[in-house]
Amino acid sequence: LLSCRLYCEEAKDPKRRSCQTVLAEALDIVVRSFAPILPHLAEEVFQYIPYKKDSEGVFRTGWINASSAWKKPGIEEAIEGACAMRDTFLGSISGKNALEYEVIIVIEPGLLFELMEALQAEETSSVSQLNEIMMASQTTLLSELPKETPSDANIIKGTFLINLEGGDICEQCSYKVIARPIAKAKCPRCRRYTAESSSTPCPRCVKVLAAGKGST
């Protein structure tokens, strides 16, 4: 997830910048957390953070002060739900390379489906947050099984318990996961199987490369 955003997206792409913001916030909190125990290490790390504009040091800039903007209702449950489905998907392919597959997630209309839609607005995507979590080359989110699903398809069923607002909203939701070998070629840039041929980049990488040339 991190490597794809940091190394495959355009330098100023919001996905890449948001990833950098999360890493910066995590580093700041971790350094301040162990500062009372490892003061010299914390001070050295703090002094070498390249984007820090002040030089007062970790002990003169206050304790941990995480912004309330990080607390968004439903996001934690959405990520946990997606991770549960990812575990189901990875378990169904027996340790094989997840990028060689496309995954179909089927959830009946309801709260869990809405949470997954927050991670992937499109029906099928290779660049959504949901697909990044699934670690596949492509993810499709549906409310019912596709009509062309073979009768011998390996459909794995699972459940996820949604717990929102301190338990005021509690719902046991079911889902189905289907893993299928993807038919596309491996992109030579991002290494996902989303290209038309192994000698040409995928559409996402073509767009990023074109943007990079235009900014030079």
Side-chain angles (χ1 to χ4, degrees):
L1 174 59
L2 293 179
S3 61
C4 183
R5 287 195 176 194
L6 290 174
Y7 300 115
C8 296
E9 299 292 354
E10 186 184 354
K12 296 182 180 180
D13 188 280
K15 290 183 179 179
R16 185 174 185 274
R17 296 293 290 148
S18 66
C19 182
Q20 290 176 310
T21 299
V22 170
L23 291 174
E25 185 74 8
L27 177 62
D28 186 83
I29 291 175
V30 169
V31 172
R32 293 182 191 278
S33 297
F34 68 65
I37 305 171
L38 300 168
H40 297 293
L41 177 60
E43 189 64 37
E44 183 175 4
V45 172
F46 204 81
Q47 292 297 330
Y48 280 92
I49 294 178
Y51 48 82
K52 287 290 183 183
K53 296 181 179 180
D54 57 71
S55 58
E56 294 182 353
V58 66
F59 292 101
R60 297 196 178 192
T61 53
W63 184 235
I64 297 171
N65 185 26
S67 171
S68 60
W70 294 102
K71 297 180 181 179
K72 294 185 178 180
I75 292 298
E76 182 179 354
E77 286 71 21
I79 298 298
E80 289 181 351
C83 288
M85 296 174 196
R86 178 192 62 196
D87 292 343
T88 301
F89 161 56
L90 295 178
S92 70
I93 60 175
S94 304
K96 297 177 182 177
N97 184 3
L99 289 175
E100 296 179 358
Y101 289 82
E102 62 173 322
V103 58
I104 299 173
I105 300 173
V106 182
I107 310 171
E108 292 184 359
L111 184 54
L112 182 59
F113 188 86
E114 292 174 4
L115 290 175
M116 293 305 105
E117 278 190 315
L119 300 177
Q120 178 169 303
E122 309 89 349
E123 182 177 285
T124 299
S125 177
S126 60
V127 297
S128 68
Q129 296 180 71
L130 180 58
N131 187 67
E132 289 178 343
I133 293 172
M134 296 303 293
M135 300 169 60
S137 279
Q138 180 175 287
T139 297
T140 298
L141 179 63
L142 301 173
S143 59
E144 59 182 10
L145 284 173
K147 294 180 180 179
E148 68 274 11
T149 302
S151 58
D152 60 346
N154 185 20
I155 303 174
I156 309 299
K157 298 180 180 180
T159 59
F160 178 72
L161 178 63
I162 298 175
N163 194 334
L164 289 171
E165 299 182 9
D168 290 340
I169 300 177
C170 195
E171 184 176 322
Q172 185 81 19
C173 302
S174 60
Y175 61 85
K176 300 181 182 73
V177 171
I178 305 172
R180 301 193 304 200
I182 197 161
K184 294 186 177 180
K186 186 177 183 180
C187 173
R189 182 175 180 271
C190 70
R191 306 298 181 184
R192 288 185 174 179
Y193 289 78
T194 51
E196 296 302 321
S197 72
S198 58
S199 59
T200 58
C202 66
R204 188 270 300 271
C205 287
V206 168
K207 182 179 179 180
V208 172
L209 291 170
K213 290 179 180 179
S215 62
T216 56

